[in-house]
Amino acid sequence: MTDRSQTLSATPPVAKKANASKGMNVAHLLLEGRAFIALLIIIATFSFLSPNYFTGANFLTMASHVAIFGLPAIGMLLVILNGGIDLSVGSTLGLAGVFAGFLMQGINLEALGVVLYLPVWAVAVLTLAMGALVGLVNGILIAWCRVPAFVATLGSLYVARGVALLMTNGLTYNKLSGSEALGNTGFDWLGFNRIFNIPVGVLVLGVVALACGFLLSRSAFGRWLYASGGNERAADLSGVPVKRIKVSVYVLSGICAAMAGLVLSSQLTSAGPTAGTTYELTAIAAVVIGGAALTGGRGNVRGTLLGAFVIGFLSDGLVIIGVSAYWQTVFTGAVIVLAVLLNTLQYGRRGR
């Protein structure tokens, strides 16, 4: 009788623990899927408020807008996974557009008395190389010269923007569609063409996201990146090439920003030195909304893409229903603060 009574009295606490465990699992699932849930809520809300929102054509248009800051967000994810920050992506985006516009105008070789017009593929390759160079400078300053990431990339932000202004004298390169006689047509292909009715910019974003996801989940580079972001000292002692990883993520971030600059200038068929202003903040917001930890070592491409779509669909939805641009900034800021709060709850609970 004594053993049986003890068993019966022990059952309710076990049941309570099971219920508490179920509750914690539900809360964990809600936290993990918060970006997807937020995206569904945004789509449902604006579909109710505007009949023009929930259409295939509008979704494709909004997705092409998302591609412009989704590409820098993927590069930013790599940097944040490493425990760093890259404030120069917006200026790199603007400089990339200006650099491509400069090349499309023709390179004046005064010594030879000729103007060299490059094919569009060469313009794209050189522009991506320029973005990689900006990232390389950032990576060397941070990894080898031990300059804090915030300071180094803040300096690059001003330098890149200043170079873009100097190249254009504050003006804009217009009519980048090229000329058949010069053999440099096709620059607007990224911005206006579609494959299977999907904008090329969206396809570029998808390819970059898949490549980055493979890099993070199926390669030694990805394992090293998560390890160095989680605990750089321990990773270094374990033989991980910490400095090389750090430089690599900034180079990749610069390439992603330059790619976004090509897509944006292609959509506009023009390139201005102020393009991409504050895009570094939008990229950081997408990464945070997607569930990555700003301290490094936690995050994935899927979440970052969802975060980019949350910001893009929210901004475009507010435009469609006629909300003031000032209120758009307020709503976007509120979403970012809420995302950071949820990240704190998620990772703080996990740490405890």
Side-chain angles (χ1 to χ4, degrees):
M1 289 295 293
T2 304
D3 293 340
R4 185 178 179 182
S5 62
Q6 288 177 350
T7 303
L8 290 174
S9 63
T11 302
V14 171
K16 289 180 181 179
K17 288 182 179 179
N19 292 333
S21 178
K22 289 180 181 179
M24 290 180 64
N25 288 334
V26 171
H28 176 72
L29 288 175
L30 290 175
L31 281 173
E32 288 288 344
R34 59 187 177 273
F36 181 69
I37 295 171
L39 184 60
L40 292 179
I41 293 173
I42 288 170
I43 293 174
T45 301
F46 287 114
S47 298
F48 175 77
L49 295 175
S50 172
N52 300 320
Y53 189 84
F54 197 81
T55 62
N58 185 52
F59 280 155
L60 289 175
T61 301
M62 291 191 297
S64 65
H65 296 162
V66 170
I68 297 171
F69 55 82
L71 288 167
I74 291 176
M76 185 69 73
L77 169 67
L78 298 177
V79 173
I80 288 178
L81 285 177
N82 190 243
I85 199 76
D86 188 356
L87 300 179
S88 67
V89 294
S91 297
T92 304
L93 186 155
L95 178 59
V98 166
F99 185 71
F102 169 77
L103 296 177
M104 289 294 295
Q105 301 297 315
I107 304 173
N108 187 9
L109 302 176
E110 295 182 0
L112 300 177
V114 297
V115 179
L116 179 63
Y117 292 93
L118 299 175
V120 171
W121 67 265
V123 171
V125 170
L126 289 174
T127 302
L128 294 179
M130 184 277 304
L133 177 61
V134 175
L136 179 63
V137 172
N138 285 334
I140 291 175
L141 287 174
I142 295 165
W144 294 98
C145 300
R146 299 187 180 278
V147 179
F150 183 90
V151 176
T153 57
L154 181 63
S156 298
L157 179 154
Y158 283 106
V159 171
R161 188 69 68 188
V163 171
L165 289 167
L166 287 170
M167 290 179 66
T168 62
N169 199 25
L171 303 177
T172 299
Y173 288 123
N174 295 313
K175 299 179 181 179
L176 301 183
S177 54
S179 170
E180 291 185 5
L182 300 174
N184 64 343
T185 57
F187 186 75
D188 56 352
W189 185 78
L190 277 173
F192 292 98
N193 276 33
R194 296 191 175 201
I195 299 176
F196 302 113
N197 201 34
I198 301 175
V200 174
V202 178
L203 293 176
V204 170
L205 175 64
V207 170
V208 171
L210 288 174
C212 183
F214 179 84
L215 189 68
L216 291 178
S217 61
R218 301 296 179 87
S219 70
F221 177 86
R223 293 190 293 272
W224 291 342
L225 177 56
Y226 279 108
S228 59
N231 190 325
E232 184 173 319
R233 178 61 177 165
D236 189 25
L237 293 174
S238 301
V240 174
V242 172
K243 291 183 178 180
R244 196 167 66 198
I245 294 295
K246 195 181 293 290
V247 173
S248 298
V249 295
Y250 283 97
V251 170
L252 292 173
S253 179
I255 292 174
C256 288
M259 201 176 300
L262 285 172
V263 173
L264 177 59
S265 56
S266 178
Q267 289 182 359
L268 301 176
T269 61
S270 64
T274 59
T277 303
T278 72
Y279 272 42
E280 59 276 354
L281 303 181
T282 307
I284 295 171
V287 175
V288 171
I289 291 171
L294 289 173
T295 52
R298 292 167 177 164
N300 55 63
V301 178
R302 181 181 64 254
T304 297
L305 277 182
L306 285 172
F309 274 93
V310 166
I311 295 176
F313 279 26
L314 174 63
S315 300
D316 285 356
L318 293 172
V319 171
I320 289 174
I321 64 175
V323 175
S324 167
Y326 305 127
W327 279 107
Q328 294 175 33
T329 305
V330 172
F331 284 126
T332 303
V335 169
I336 294 171
V337 172
L338 179 61
V340 173
L341 176 62
L342 292 175
N343 278 9
T344 302
L345 292 175
Q346 178 185 1
Y347 297 126
R349 178 180 299 174
R350 184 175 297 177
R352 288 193 296 270

